[in-house]
Amino acid sequence: QVQLVESGGGLVQAGGSLTLSCVISGDTFSTYTMGWFRQAPGKDREFVAAISWTGGSTYYDDSVKGRFTISRDNAKNTVYLRMNSLKPEDTAVYHCAQNQRGTNYPRLSHEYDFWGRGTQVTVSS
């Protein structure tokens, strides 16, 4: 029913920037909260950011607050993650996800219903 496809990952030097995109098909994009998670090798999946159904609220993990910005363009069925001042510890596979349950401030993996396959972000020293 729902398919999420991430893009925009790549290799950058520390201090650089990347913008990730997630295109949603098969459902109404603007209805649901969207989130970004990341997972590094050998690490648990980590919440990064989320944006509410209407775009009125955004949430960030403390590790990225002030550096990353989540946004959405409902006309394009796309959610973005702008990443500035990247650090080597930001290296991970980044996944976008969709919450259809109306959870307040969803920041746990099990609170999301659909997931993309991810895009690799690598930040070199």
Side-chain angles (χ1 to χ4, degrees), residues 29-67:
F29 170 78
S30 62
T31 303
Y32 308 113
T33 297
M34 299 296 300
W36 285 97
F37 289 76
R38 64 188 182 186
Q39 188 166 26
K43 302 288 185 63
D44 293 334
R45 184 171 290 178
E46 178 187 28
F47 172 76
V48 177
I51 185 165
S52 64
W53 290 14
T54 60
S57 299
T58 56
Y59 314 95
Y60 298 93
D61 184 77
D62 287 341
S63 66
V64 305
K65 189 174 296 183
R67 299 188 298 121

Side-chain angles (χ1 to χ4, degrees), residues 80-125:
Y80 304 95
L81 185 69
R82 177 64 177 176
M83 305 183 294
N84 295 323
S85 302
L86 283 163
K87 306 174 181 179
E89 51 263 45
D90 295 318
T91 296
V93 176
Y94 283 71
H95 298 264
C96 67
Q98 184 181 83
N99 174 284
Q100 296 188 350
R101 314 170 198 179
T103 306
N104 292 329
Y105 184 25
R107 61 192 186 278
L108 303 175
S109 295
H110 69 78
E111 294 173 324
Y112 287 82
D113 302 290
F114 298 97
W115 294 81
R117 290 190 294 173
T119 185
Q120 176 71 48
V121 173
T122 302
V123 184
S124 62
S125 301

